[in-house]
Amino acid sequence: MTDRKPLSLQRLLDMHASGDKIAMLTCYDAAFASLLDEAGVDVLLVGDSLGNVLQGESSTVPVSLDAMVYHTRCVARGRKNAWVIGDLPFDSYQASPQEAWKSAAALFKAGAHMVKLEGGGWTAPIVRFLVERGIPVCAHLGLTPQTVTMLGGFKVQGRDDAAAAHLKRQAIELAEAGAQMLVLEMVPAPLAADLTRTLKIPVIGIGAGVGCSGQVLVLHDMLDVTPGRRPRFVKNFMAGASSVQDAVARYVAEVKAQTFPQDDLHSY
């Protein structure tokens, strides 16, 4: 993959428009950033999931902005062509658009090309504030780990008609506010596919079916490193792989070929 060009926001939008699937994985350090980039991963998400997989926390809530800045800087130094998204952690954007700006600017200075925030409704003005000031934003709807206790635990979101309509309204509102990408987590596959057709921005699924513009998984999950039980939507790509790079390349190939995720195994 050494001959590919650096990913740009316009290229990601074009991939969504043309149906060219986007392969995204979480990444937290320079060594893996280089490996994932070489294997053809389009987008590296410096996720606050690092709280779980690196720090041993039971949730993403304790992750600090300083930690996100540190790991974003590490990933930015290791990547060559991949697009880098940095998560805005809990308590770094909820109070005001001005707080969100300072937090987003810190991630941007560390090397992020885009920031991600969770939730809909109240987040639309924050998205608009950031985008108007030059920081691209990825929204995140469905199962939002930072507020999982409010959602009643790790449950599929948008199952009934009212919940699906509410989620769809929030997605459209976020896109109209300027969000240039949307992550949908643990959302029924038909709803995710409908939103992908409706929106003009890439919709990245995690437990949301093959009909999205692309897929994302936590790196440690798909490499079968995370201890304990993993969610239904995770596939162990290390099974049968000759190396970590081979496993990542298989993930990219299956996302591009739309053979992952499989509706009967990894979707709701």
Side-chain angles (χ1 to χ4, degrees):
M1 293 292 178
T2 55
D3 59 342
R4 69 173 183 160
K5 296 180 180 179
L7 270 290
S8 65
L9 181 56
Q10 187 57 55
R11 172 60 183 145
L12 293 168
L13 292 168
D14 290 344
M15 290 172 75
H16 166 70
S18 66
D20 184 4
K21 298 298 182 178
I22 298 166
M24 182 192 299
L25 283 173
T26 64
C27 187
Y28 315 104
D29 63 45
F32 268 109
S34 179
L35 185 152
L36 268 57
D37 199 318
E38 181 67 22
V41 177
D42 299 308
V43 181
L44 306 180
L45 171 61
V46 189
D48 58 3
S49 52
L50 67 87
N52 304 103
V53 299
L54 298 187
Q55 298 176 341
E57 301 285 359
S58 61
S59 76
T60 62
V61 171
V63 177
S64 68
L65 179 61
D66 286 344
M68 293 306 307
V69 168
Y70 171 81
H71 287 281
T72 298
R73 183 174 290 113
C74 292
V75 170
R77 287 172 176 167
R79 52 75 64 181
K80 182 179 179 181
N81 296 308
W83 183 257
V84 177
I85 301 176
D87 261 347
L88 287 169
F90 182 77
D91 196 28
S92 72
Y93 61 96
Q94 286 88 347
S96 68
Q98 289 74 20
E99 178 191 50
W101 165 258
K102 289 182 179 179
S103 301
L107 292 178
F108 225 58
K109 289 178 180 179
H113 303 121
M114 173 180 268
V115 299
K116 182 169 76 66
L117 51 75
E118 295 183 6
W122 64 273
T123 58
I126 293 174
V127 170
R128 183 174 292 106
F129 190 91
L130 294 178
V131 171
E132 287 177 346
R133 287 155 180 80
I135 294 185
V137 176
C138 174
H140 184 156
L141 292 175
L143 191 285
T144 46
Q146 291 177 8
T147 53
V148 68
T149 53
M150 288 288 291
L151 301 175
F154 290 88
K155 299 179 179 179
V156 180
Q157 304 297 307
R159 276 199 185 276
D160 60 62
D161 290 344
H166 179 66
L167 193 150
K168 188 171 184 178
R169 284 195 301 272
Q170 288 186 330
I172 293 171
E173 182 181 33
L174 286 163
E176 290 176 346
Q180 292 103 331
M181 188 178 291
L182 173 66
V183 168
L184 288 179
E185 183 167 355
M186 291 183 67
V187 169
L191 173 59
D194 178 44
L195 275 170
T196 303
R197 291 189 296 268
T198 299
L199 300 177
K200 292 181 170 32
I201 60 174
V203 176
I204 309 300
I206 176 167
V210 73
C212 297
S213 313
Q215 303 295 324
V216 63
L217 285 176
V218 171
L219 176 65
H220 292 59
D221 288 352
M222 58 84 69
L223 294 179
D224 198 33
V225 174
T226 308
R229 183 180 178 183
R230 280 171 287 284
R232 169 191 172 100
F233 54 75
V234 174
K235 177 178 177 178
N236 174 15
F237 282 88
M238 277 302 296
S242 59
S243 64
V244 169
Q245 185 151 4
D246 181 37
V248 174
R250 289 184 180 200
Y251 168 76
V252 172
E254 291 194 21
V255 170
K256 300 289 186 181
Q258 302 182 54
T259 55
F260 174 80
Q262 297 179 40
D263 284 344
D264 58 338
L265 294 177
H266 312 113
S267 305
Y268 302 95

